[in-house]
Amino acid sequence: MSSIKCPEWVKQSKRRKAQGRVAGRGVHVRRPNFVRPRDNMYSHDFSLMNTKAFANLKGSGGNIWEVFEVLDDARRAIFRNTVFGYFIDVPRLQGDALLFHKMFLHQIRPDPVLSPDGIKRLYFRVGNTKMVYGPEEFCLITGFNFGEYPKNIGRKGSEKLISSKKRCLLRERLFPDHTNSSVKIGDLKSLILNQTFLALDDLDAVRVCLIYILCEGFLGKEVNDRVPQDWFYLAENLDLWNSFAWDFTYVDLEDTWNKIHHYLSLPERGQTLKYSVSGFTAPIRIWIYEMIPAVRACEFALRKNKDLPRMKRWSGTKKLKWVDVNKIWSKMQSITKVSCVQHITIWYRLLMERRFESDRHTIMPPNFFVSHALEEGQDWRAFMAGIATYPNFMVAWWDVDTVLLPIHSSPNHWLFGELRLASMEVHIYDSLGRGAYEKFKSEGIFSKFERRVANYLDKIKYWARRNIPRIPLNMQFIYEENVPQQSSHLGDCGVFLCMFMEQLVSGQPIRVLIDPKNAALEFRLRMAKIIWGSSLAPL
């Protein structure tokens, strides 16, 4: 797609930036009328989330593979030893401009646009989840060094921050007929694709390829743009090139928000939104693959391996159309539900794996309660008798006093039950109030569950193995009033369920927390550290 040639609104935006700049506080941009503050963020009107655009991602890395094709074995080996060397093994990246645009429709904007630690980052809210993309994510995905990227380096007005040399020897060898300031991106490309490239010293051939890949593939420069002499100085010393902090994630992406928001704020939008994005956009597209499970579920991206850096793991299966992007977003709710089940399952397995022999509890799988009540074809006797082959640490009901029950309430809510076998009471803990409890009660779910449990207790000879007389079951389902309540918009029911489960397993009372919102966030971090450090972490 061709980019717009500096429309009037871009000029106005730049003037507003210049007028609104405050030392040490970043840039304040006038809010469009439709934007309302939320949690100290600028947030989009959700009715505008389906606005299509023609986005031109200049620094997409799409043209770097033609360079690899002209490298012979010796030069390819030298190139592999550079910080950019692994890109030889990275699959050709699809454009995915529409996926990029859809993600930026969900961008939120802190005021000022700085994190508490002073590092600029990009913030997004997709559904109930807030996502952050910054230098850390960029470096983890690309493998480039983390550090402060000098503001003026490689830009017009640079003060030769890398070297104070007056002569640029590499430039003189490669382009003897040019001055330091007259070499253009097109000159690099012409040299690489010309027969004279074969006559270059091997190191110089690799150096010119590195500069071209940086300028055209990563920074998104045009063929007529000048090559800053800083890059020649840097490429002259490959050790310095390899150790340089290539952290250019934010500078060229931050204006995307301004372009989209200005267009959406116009009272009449007859013309299709078009905008261009410079800077290396491939890492943020990889980040979207990782953060949006529906991209993989719809098979629009494929993770091939677990290699590092993470750029090597992914390939796009096809160029996405707008209907494909909307399919991904429509699938997100169901994918979120599946992801929640997976994490609850992992957490319950961890608690069971770390259970002591003397403990008097067992935990049923997340689908046990509803399956017991609604699906006549399910036979759970092996789980109740502690002989199920998966998971292999089940415990028989006659050896415990309490049975803990993760409970799913359609369509996407989780609550928790504690069956006390001595009294046959089921205590219900719900972080969203009585709604699910009343629903189960009115629809007869509790009664169905009681009948099936009574039938299975007889079949596994529970009463005889416990050495107590059989009694009528007469289960009581008790709603617990005094339990922590989540904020209605956070979608933390699965996290609260895991909190309740761990508290009961460890013998702690389930109590009202002073700040359930922060408690849920802290527990998420704790779960992540424990899950990823265990043998049960997802692949």
Side-chain angles (χ1 to χ4, degrees), residues 401 419-425 462 466 471:
D401 299 325
L419 169 58
R420 301 175 185 177
L421 292 169
S423 60
M424 287 298 168
E425 294 175 348
Y462 169 82
R466 192 120 195 184
I471 59 174

Side-chain angles (χ1 to χ4, degrees), residues 520-538:
L521 293 174
E522 291 175 6
F523 201 80
R524 281 183 189 274
L525 293 174
R526 181 170 176 275
M527 287 178 66
K529 291 179 181 178
I530 294 175
I531 288 175
W532 287 104
S534 74
S535 60
L536 300 176

Side-chain angles (χ1 to χ4, degrees), residues 413 415 428-438 479 483-485:
H413 179 54
L415 57 154
I428 303 295
Y429 305 88
D430 194 335
S431 61
L432 274 184
R434 303 179 63 95
Y437 172 83
E438 297 295 345
Y479 175 77
V483 298
Q485 296 293 291

Side-chain angles (χ1 to χ4, degrees), residues 192-240:
I192 293 171
L193 301 180
N194 194 285
Q195 287 294 321
T196 55
F197 181 74
L198 300 176
L200 293 179
D201 174 83
D202 285 346
L203 282 175
D204 280 353
V206 169
R207 289 179 176 119
V208 71
C209 289
L210 290 172
I211 298 172
Y212 174 71
I213 289 172
L214 171 65
C215 293
E216 200 284 336
F218 295 169
L219 297 179
K221 301 300 182 182
E222 304 286 351
V223 292
N224 289 324
D225 288 337
R226 183 181 65 86
V227 180
Q229 58 181 313
D230 289 329
W231 302 143
F232 286 106
Y233 285 132
L234 193 63
E236 184 77 58
N237 184 340
L238 289 181
D239 289 336
L240 182 59

Side-chain angles (χ1 to χ4, degrees), residues 291-329:
M291 297 299 291
I292 307 295
V295 177
R296 288 112 60 193
C298 293
E299 299 182 346
F300 295 129
L302 174 66
R303 191 178 77 171
K304 308 181 303 173
N305 52 54
K306 293 185 178 182
D307 291 349
L308 293 174
R310 282 157 36 191
M311 282 283 296
K312 296 169 66 174
R313 300 180 180 184
W314 294 94
S315 63
T317 58
K318 70 173 186 177
K319 187 174 182 179
L320 299 181
K321 301 177 181 178
W322 190 239
V323 65
D324 299 324
V325 174
N326 285 321
K327 179 180 178 181
I328 290 169
W329 250 254

